[in-house]
Amino acid sequence: MGYSTNVYKKAADKLTLRRITAQREADERRKEIFRRLPRAEELEKGIASSGIKAARAVIGGGNVKEEMERLRDENLRMQSELRVLLRTNGYEEDVLEPRFVCKRCKDTGYVEENGRTFVCACLKQTLAECACEELNRSAPLSLSTFETFHTDYYSAQRGDNGIVPREHMEKVLKRCRSYAANFQPNAGGLLMCGATGLGKTHLSLAIANEVIRRGYGVIYVSAPSIIAQYEKRMRTWGETNELLDMVTDCDLLIIDDLGTEYKNQFSVSHIYNLINSRLLAHKPVIISTNLNMKELEQHYSNRLVSRLNGEVEKLNFLGKDIRIAKKRF
Ligand SMILES: Nc1ncnc2c1ncn2[C@@H]1O[C@H](COP(=O)(O)OP(=O)(O)OP(=O)(O)O)[C@@H](O)[C@H]1O
Ligand SMILES: [Mg+2]
Ligand SMILES: [Zn+2]
């Protein structure tokens, strides 16, 4: 679960809000009920004070056992009277208790089991939702899903290279689906190559959607934007740059539009170091580019290309620009 601090903070805030809301609503119900049924308030106070009375009995000495039994019976009688009183007045028996969204962790996000603390499923779910919201600010995540990816945009005619684009893209789609469904933090990487408008960004975001839904931390950056972040860090050295901390640590890094950044020694070396550090740590990266392997070698280095060749799976995108096809319909 490698999420940004912002995501953790947002998820924690959401749970706190749930907890406070449940508490406040319970307080309001309590006030209203005690106004209608003063006996209910007496009973609740009585139940709450039996613990104190029990402690006094122990300190006071005397026949402690007998006194404790009497207090316990009195407590149980009051509890039962309160339940009956509430029920006969049309309330649920637990109406005075806060109604937490998650009963398991009482909206704290953590559960204790056998003396150990675990992250509750509801916090995992909330983290994934917050990560989606954050990613959605930089990419059209909700629009780019496997369901909205259609292979009938690709030609069913066999090309000069002997390949039928539609059949080929059906295989690419299938591979991306299985990649997302089986994603693990040590999964291999993908290199999506092909001309503009063929669905590279669409499919990488579809993978992001699914991987986030499965509870992993995903960072999506374009090559120009990540270079801009490295430049910013040069100017503001010493300040924390969360995105740059996250790109090396997140479960899945997606680098879009590799090759469209302004190229100089600075950008080339930072791109190389970033990809190389992910590969060395066996952390997956998905790269999309309009460049072919030869151009990648010219722009970066054959060191990078040979690393990519050995460690990531190449997916070629074929066909005609779908942006144009979509405009026509
Ligand atoms: N197979 C598809 N089915 C439905 N929509 C698609 C498909 N492929 C691409 N699109 C849509 O077409 C537009 C362009 O696709 P996308 O941005 O994924 O292309 P790309 O390969 O990343 O292009 P570029 O190299 O210019 O970045 C997007 O709006 C995308 O949602
Ligand atoms: Mg793209
Ligand atoms: Zn929970």
Side-chain angles (χ1 to χ4, degrees):
M1 277 199 296
Y3 295 116
S4 68
T5 337
N6 201 20
V7 166
Y8 284 112
K9 196 180 162 310
K10 271 200 181 152
D13 286 351
K14 277 194 190 189
L15 260 65
T16 305
L17 184 65
R18 278 182 209 162
R19 212 165 50 236
I20 293 175
T21 308
Q23 207 81 54
R24 204 194 52 226
E25 285 172 0
D27 287 346
E28 272 162 22
R29 286 196 301 274
R30 163 179 282 102
K31 256 190 247 158
E32 169 64 18
I33 289 167
F34 289 174
R35 205 177 47 76
R36 274 191 63 201
L37 308 169
R39 175 69 186 147
E41 186 167 10
E42 280 169 29
L43 287 167
E44 205 197 44
K45 280 198 181 131
I47 294 163
S49 69
S50 43
I52 303 168
K53 284 188 194 153
R56 263 195 218 127
V58 174
I59 297 164
N63 196 340
V64 176
K65 188 165 173 280
E66 209 171 273
E67 179 61 6
M68 292 294 263
E69 272 169 15
R70 198 190 61 75
L71 283 170
R72 190 201 58 208
D73 291 346
E74 190 186 65
N75 186 297
L76 290 176
R77 194 193 49 72
M78 286 190 291
Q79 284 191 36
S80 132
E81 188 188 334
L82 180 59
R83 274 200 302 274
V84 173
L85 180 67
L86 291 171
R87 210 179 328 124
T88 49
N89 282 280
Y91 296 110
E92 304 274 335
E93 284 180 4
D94 63 354
V95 66
L96 297 173
E97 303 298 320
R99 295 204 173 125
F100 295 111
V101 176
C102 178
K103 296 208 167 38
R104 210 166 151 234
C105 71
K106 299 192 163 60
D107 296 342
T108 59
Y110 298 93
V111 273
E112 297 248 0
E113 252 168 41
N114 307 326
R116 287 180 60 198
T117 310
F118 295 91
V119 175
C120 186
C122 74
L123 176 54
K124 287 187 187 162
Q125 170 71 27
T126 309
L127 279 164
E129 282 166 17
C130 293
C132 257
E133 283 166 18
E134 188 167 84
L135 195 50
N136 244 321
R137 283 193 278 127
S138 56
L141 196 63
S142 49
L143 301 175
S144 305
T145 62
F146 289 123
E147 286 67 39
T148 58
F149 189 88
H150 304 293
T151 49
D152 38 8
Y153 283 113
Y154 305 92
S155 166
Q157 304 286 316
R158 195 169 298 277
D160 295 340
N161 52 6
I163 299 173
V164 179
R166 190 175 299 173
E167 286 173 3
H168 176 83
M169 290 308 293
E170 272 159 10
K171 283 188 207 145
V172 169
L173 170 61
K174 202 169 157 208
R175 177 63 192 115
C176 289
R177 275 186 182 274
S178 86
Y179 181 88
N182 300 306
F183 180 84
Q184 294 288 326
N186 61 353
L190 299 175
L191 176 63
M192 300 182 171
C193 292
T196 188
L198 297 182
K200 299 182 297 297
T201 299
H202 190 125
L203 274 188
S204 53
L205 291 176
I207 293 174
N209 260 307
E210 177 68 15
V211 170
I212 287 172
R213 205 186 54 74
R214 295 188 44 221
Y216 295 106
V218 179
I219 297 281
Y220 167 92
V221 288
S222 70
S225 72
I226 192 76
I227 293 303
Q229 290 295 323
Y230 284 119
E231 283 168 350
K232 184 174 163 210
R233 186 173 61 182
M234 284 243 296
R235 292 193 305 273
T236 59
W237 195 257
E239 281 180 20
T240 52
N241 185 320
E242 213 191 9
L243 183 75
L244 293 184
D245 292 341
M246 289 304 300
V247 288
T248 39
D249 289 345
C250 63
D251 296 321
L252 174 62
L253 173 66
I254 299 177
I255 306 176
D256 204 359
D257 296 323
L258 182 70
T260 63
E261 74 282 8
Y262 178 74
K263 271 177 250 32
N264 53 25
Q265 237 182 348
F266 177 87
S267 65
V268 166
S269 74
H270 275 92
I271 292 282
Y272 176 81
N273 287 338
L274 175 58
I275 296 175
N276 195 40
S277 65
R278 296 280 311 181
L279 295 179
L280 282 174
H282 301 289
K283 281 175 169 277
V285 51
I286 297 181
I287 301 167
S288 300
T289 183
N290 291 148
L291 305 176
N292 59 34
M293 296 313 262
K294 202 160 182 259
E295 289 164 328
L296 278 177
E297 211 170 293
Q298 283 163 0
H299 282 291
Y300 303 95
S301 60
N302 55 13
R303 252 193 333 159
L304 178 71
V305 173
S306 66
R307 290 230 59 171
L308 288 175
N309 267 331
E311 303 200 31
V312 305
E313 184 180 338
K314 192 171 170 230
L315 299 175
N316 282 322
F317 282 60
L318 306 176
K320 296 210 175 85
D321 193 341
I322 286 168
R323 283 194 192 96
I324 297 172
K326 278 197 158 174
K327 265 193 207 138
R328 245 188 267 133
F329 290 111

